[in-house]
Amino acid sequence: MRIKAIQWALSAAVLAMSASAFSAPPTPAMLSNACAGCHGTHGESAGPSMPALAGQSKISIVESMKGFKSGERPSTVMGRLSKGYSDAEFEAMGEFFSRQKPFTTSQTLDRAKVAKGAELHEKNCARCHVENGKEIKDNSPVMAGQWVKYLEIQMADYHSGKRKMFDRKAERMKPLSQSDLDAIAHFYASVK
Amino acid sequence: MTIDRRSFLKMTAGAGAAGVLYGCASTGPSGSTADVMPKTGRRVVVVGGGYGGTIAAKYIRMMDKNIEVVLVERNDHFVSCPFSNLYIGGLMKDLSPLTIRYDKLAANHGIKLLQAEVTGVDAASRTVVTSKGTLKYDHLVLSPGIDFRTEEVKGYDIATTPEVIPHAWKAGPQTVLLRKQLEAMPDGGNVVLSIPLAPFRCPPGPYERTSMIAMFLKQHKPKSKIIVLDANPDIVSKKGLFLKGWKKHYEGIVDYRPAKKVTEVDARSKTVLVEGLEDVRGAVVNLIPPQRAGQIAVAAGLVGADKNWCPVNPTTFESTIHKGIHVIGDACVAGAMPKSGYSANSEAKACATNIVNMMNGREIVDFSGINTCYSFLSAKEAVEVTGVYKVDKEKNTIIAVPGTVGVSPDLSELEAIYAESWLKNILIEMST
């Protein structure tokens, strides 16, 4: 019904009067494309500190956006931006980015840190960040191949207490030093 | 066979084509009427290879490979205005981090490039006239950026004044000239920066420039200062943050003077006149003239009652004056969206989406967009303003989604780190 009305509306004469009167709500692509100026086309970020979203899990994106919106998760820009969208729109964008093919960053990493990080991951993180951070469990993000600079910023936020953790995570993370966390960041960034 | 512009005008007028729109750019050869690329299928012509045009061309092709897209741009490269203040301040060796070319973009998406000057548009016959010949279109996207209302500054000669008194408000040779002048300036000389009345391209830009020039002076010309003559009653964007940064880093270097509208210039003596009353002389003068939509949009009759900017439908960015012509970026009136590179990027995507929808008889989709402007205050600290935008259907205009527009709480090193990545991402988005 609606589609028919729209098609009729699209006949040139009517269109000439007003297009927006008959328009549909923003599609997932319309919403998500606006994010790409910062996060890269389809979420394939080329900037070493800006997180890639391509291939990120839907639930992780939705949870991140909710956390930014409530202020629970610290941010520079995302807190304000997230307030522009509803939960349904978070879902739409999460779906959009999760369907993009995962983006493999090419970055220079410190081999010693990667090796140290691999050990620390195995001991402390592997139970939740399964498949070396490639797969997800619950709402944990895909971290494999993420930009190391971005992961380091996030680790620093955890370390300083700016970014909150649930108890089980805190138990594992609190004893680790900043350089341990940097090593773990290098490890996840290295996973292909 | 080539026919000069005047005879084309006669011919089309003779044929009774209503609404032949003509313009010629101040430089460049006249258009010819030979069709440079005969149109066979559905075609969109995009004019302007900057923040808006590249993205419109790319996204149309990404969404519908059966639409031919021709990108017309007079240069073979583009230099970003965002971040060009960092070069002026000495944080960049050259303009290469700000420069993109079009070859990868064209190859990756099958966009046809035409390096030519657009001299006119005929809305009735859906034809663009370029220095290399004419082009037919089904939809035309103009992303022409800005030009200057130099007639409002007495004594300003568009050809010669910027060679002595750079505006550096279109990045490239002008940016380099301003930096060279700063380097050559004697220690103790003053820099004069003149800011026009809003609206102009990049609202926080002049204040970022003030900061970057002050940073340069502090380091290299410690006896010099920068006098800012702002035609506006106050700092237009991120006021609190700029004032804080100037106090923190450039106390005694930045002499900010609001409500000082420059009305006259004398290039020879490097003097500007404020409201015909007060002479201000500088060792270096950076006069940013008042602005309007890029020349081609004016020539095509697309500017509104204000004679400066192009009114558009807020969902499709189609001109409200001429059907089939869409105007995006600095040149258009996009409601509450500021004239910025990120706005142009966002507008281009919505415009592309709806052109593809219109050409396929599909439903038009509401606009949802974002703006972000990062500004540097020192070598390591940046601030930003961001916002989410949508269409208010009743008012038929773009508004900010309440609660989304705001600025950084403070000067921030982290924001500077993100800003660098922003630049990289957006330029890669435009060029690949």
Side-chain angles (χ1 to χ4, degrees):
Chain A
M1 251 278 301
R2 178 170 190 194
I3 302 287
K4 258 198 190 145
I6 299 297
Q7 275 168 352
W8 174 79
L10 276 172
S11 74
V14 177
L15 186 69
M17 287 188 300
S18 167
S20 53
F22 299 98
S23 50
T27 53
M30 173 67 85
L31 297 166
S32 309
N33 287 341
C35 319
C38 281
H39 287 284
T41 304
H42 295 149
E44 297 185 356
S45 173
S49 62
M50 204 66 89
L53 300 176
Q56 183 54 279
S57 86
K58 175 179 170 180
I59 184 161
S60 160
I61 291 174
V62 171
E63 287 306 309
S64 293
M65 294 302 279
K66 285 182 177 167
F68 288 134
K69 195 173 184 175
S70 72
E72 190 179 313
R73 188 168 163 186
S75 70
T76 54
V77 293
M78 289 309 300
R80 271 173 268 129
L81 290 175
S82 59
K83 290 185 178 66
Y85 306 96
S86 64
D87 284 1
E89 288 171 326
F90 290 163
E91 302 261 337
M93 293 189 281
E95 179 81 27
F96 178 90
F97 287 114
S98 70
R99 285 187 181 203
Q100 308 301 327
K101 86 174 177 307
F103 175 59
T104 32
T105 52
S106 85
Q107 50 189 327
T108 348
L109 296 165
D110 183 325
R111 280 224 207 133
K113 283 190 187 174
V114 171
K116 180 179 165 196
E119 262 174 49
L120 289 164
H121 155 79
E122 211 48 60
K123 246 199 285 178
N124 299 290
C125 326
R127 252 194 358 173
C128 294
H129 297 289
V130 293
E131 297 291 324
N132 296 336
K134 269 207 274 209
E135 295 296 328
I136 56 151
K137 201 171 144 187
D138 303 327
N139 55 13
S140 69
V142 176
M143 289 188 289
Q146 188 55 280
W147 288 108
V148 69
K149 181 75 201 163
Y150 178 70
L151 293 174
E152 282 175 358
I153 294 169
Q154 296 308 308
M155 297 291 188
D157 275 355
Y158 280 129
H159 194 65
S160 70
K162 237 169 94 184
R163 190 168 167 187
K164 292 190 186 66
M165 296 176 268
F166 52 91
D167 294 345
R168 219 151 33 95
K169 187 181 176 91
E171 240 169 66
R172 293 293 180 177
M173 246 177 142
K174 280 258 168 71
L176 300 176
S177 67
Q178 183 70 59
S179 74
D180 288 343
L181 295 175
D182 283 355
I184 294 173
H186 275 253
F187 167 68
Y188 288 127
S190 76
V191 178
K192 296 268 184 253
Chain B
M1 181 188 77
T2 51
I3 302 170
D4 70 29
R5 202 162 35 82
R6 188 177 293 155
S7 51
F8 176 70
L9 183 60
K10 270 200 217 125
M11 259 171 46
T12 46
V20 174
L21 304 163
Y22 250 98
C24 60
S26 48
T27 55
S30 337
S32 105
T33 54
D35 194 330
V36 270
M37 245 183 245
K39 181 165 108 63
T40 48
R42 300 180 303 159
R43 175 190 282 173
V44 178
V45 172
V46 179
V47 175
Y51 273 89
T54 52
I55 296 295
K58 167 172 168 168
Y59 274 74
I60 289 170
R61 290 289 298 172
M62 276 179 8
M63 289 182 280
D64 190 342
K65 280 274 181 278
N66 294 316
I67 298 172
E68 180 191 36
V69 173
V70 186
L71 176 60
V72 190
E73 162 60 48
R74 66 183 143 203
N75 299 311
D76 66 353
H77 68 282
F78 170 76
V79 184
S80 166
C81 267
F83 270 66
S84 64
N85 286 330
L86 277 71
Y87 168 82
I88 291 168
L91 297 179
M92 262 176 215
K93 275 204 307 286
D94 53 43
L95 294 176
S96 61
L98 305 182
T99 306
I100 60 163
R101 288 174 191 282
Y102 305 111
D103 44 334
K104 282 202 197 97
L105 177 76
N108 290 351
H109 302 283
I111 296 164
K112 293 184 176 152
L113 292 177
L114 178 64
Q115 193 183 340
E117 179 104 33
V118 174
T119 54
V121 177
D122 177 1
S125 69
R126 301 206 174 201
T127 308
V128 174
V129 186
T130 81
S131 53
K132 294 206 174 134
T134 60
L135 271 177
K136 292 267 182 207
Y137 63 80
D138 296 309
H139 285 264
L140 173 65
V141 179
L142 292 184
S143 191
I146 51 145
D147 266 305
F148 299 118
R149 279 146 51 198
T150 54
E151 67 279 7
E152 291 177 23
V153 183
K154 215 170 129 192
Y156 197 105
D157 180 76
I158 190 69
T160 59
T161 306
E163 296 300 317
V164 186
I165 294 189
H167 52 74
W169 218 241
K170 293 181 183 183
Q174 278 282 298
T175 319
V176 175
L177 178 63
L178 179 55
R179 159 98 169 251
K180 284 209 172 115
Q181 289 188 349
L182 290 169
E183 281 167 354
M185 184 183 93
D187 187 12
N190 288 337
V191 179
V192 174
L193 169 63
S194 157
I195 305 173
L197 273 177
F200 49 80
R201 158 179 284 177
C202 189
Y207 312 101
E208 178 185 58
R209 176 162 298 170
T210 301
S211 313
M212 288 291 99
I213 291 177
M215 180 185 73
F216 174 84
L217 297 179
K218 188 175 174 178
Q219 226 180 334
H220 302 284
K221 319 273 169 175
K223 296 197 201 96
S224 297
K225 61 178 185 169
I226 174 168
I227 300 168
V228 184
L229 302 173
D230 194 343
N232 299 284
D234 209 341
I235 294 173
V236 171
S237 173
K238 306 174 190 165
K239 178 186 166 188
L241 292 164
F242 281 115
L243 289 177
K244 193 165 182 179
W246 296 346
K247 197 166 162 57
K248 179 174 173 189
H249 296 293
Y250 314 119
E251 186 93 81
I253 302 175
V254 174
D255 176 355
Y256 176 77
R257 305 178 189 174
K260 297 282 183 189
K261 185 172 163 193
V262 166
T263 48
E264 201 174 329
V265 61
D266 179 37
R268 225 171 344 144
S269 64
K270 295 208 174 177
T271 307
V272 292
L273 206 63
V274 177
E275 306 279 10
L277 289 172
E278 182 189 347
D279 274 336
V280 186
R281 200 175 174 148
V284 172
V285 179
N286 175 199
L287 193 170
I288 305 166
Q291 293 153 33
R292 66 161 67 94
Q295 162 67 21
I296 189 62
V298 179
L302 296 162
V303 293
D306 68 1
K307 298 204 165 60
N308 293 327
W309 309 106
C310 305
V312 293
N313 175 301
T315 306
T316 60
F317 292 87
E318 188 170 23
S319 163
T320 55
I321 298 172
H322 289 296
K323 290 292 121 190
I325 304 179
H326 305 247
V327 188
I328 56 173
D330 293 344
C332 79
V333 182
M337 290 194 95
K339 298 188 184 303
S340 74
Y342 206 106
S343 291
N345 174 292
S346 224
E347 291 158 20
K349 289 165 181 172
C351 175
T353 302
N354 281 324
I355 284 177
V356 170
N357 286 338
M358 287 162 97
M359 291 176 87
N360 288 295
R362 288 196 302 250
E363 209 170 0
I364 298 297
V365 171
D366 283 344
F367 174 70
S368 174
I370 292 178
N371 172 57
T372 296
C373 302
Y374 284 103
S375 311
F376 277 74
L377 282 114
S378 66
K380 287 205 165 143
E381 294 160 312
V383 295
E384 50 51 45
V385 59
T386 53
V388 180
Y389 295 84
K390 65 175 184 185
V391 172
D392 180 327
K393 291 201 181 185
E394 254 159 53
K395 296 201 185 95
N396 197 35
T397 187
I398 298 174
I399 56 161
V401 180
T404 64
V405 177
V407 299
S408 319
D410 206 342
L411 281 61
S412 157
E413 293 194 11
L414 183 56
E415 299 245 43
I417 290 169
Y418 284 133
E420 306 262 358
S421 287
W422 168 82
L423 177 75
K424 200 156 184 203
N425 267 328
I426 204 158
L427 292 181
I428 284 182
E429 185 167 51
M430 291 159 66
S431 59
T432 60

